[in-house]
Amino acid sequence: MWQSVGLTLLVIVATIVCALLFMLFGWYVVWHLFLSKFKFLRELVGDASTPQTENQPSELGTERTSPALIRSRPRSARQRVAFPDGTL
């Protein structure tokens, strides 16, 4: 009788441990793939280990607004002389 009670408790404890490990692994994967991209969630958790995601949106924003980075067709020598600043 004590063997069956011990085996039952062992199965229950092992099931709980496996479920907790699975949940922790899932949280780790979801954090790194999705949730760490949000600055307010990183601040709530207190994680400062991923600062590179803060710089990416600002760099992309400056690339979009900067007229010097917009590619266009090559200009002739006459256009380069007439418009040295790159405007039309």
Side-chain angles (χ1 to χ4, degrees):
M1 180 177 138
W2 289 108
Q3 287 180 340
S4 64
V5 171
L7 187 60
T8 303
L9 287 175
L10 180 67
V11 168
I12 291 172
V13 169
T15 303
I16 291 172
V17 167
C18 288
L20 288 175
L21 286 175
F22 185 73
M23 288 171 52
L24 287 174
F25 178 73
W27 172 257
Y28 179 79
V29 170
V30 168
W31 174 260
H32 281 286
L33 292 179
F34 181 70
L35 295 177
S36 65
K37 307 291 189 258
F38 296 103
K39 185 178 178 183
F40 68 94
L41 285 177
R42 284 193 323 243
E43 290 177 0
L44 285 176
V45 175
D47 182 24
S49 65
T50 55
Q52 70 273 10
T53 57
E54 294 175 8
N55 295 334
Q56 289 174 353
S58 63
E59 291 172 0
L60 293 175
T62 56
E63 287 179 8
R64 289 185 187 139
T65 57
S66 175
L69 296 176
I70 298 174
R71 297 190 183 256
S72 61
R73 61 186 178 100
R75 295 183 178 168
S76 66
R78 177 176 264 173
Q79 287 174 330
R80 283 193 299 262
V81 171
F83 304 102
D85 62 347
T87 59
L88 291 176

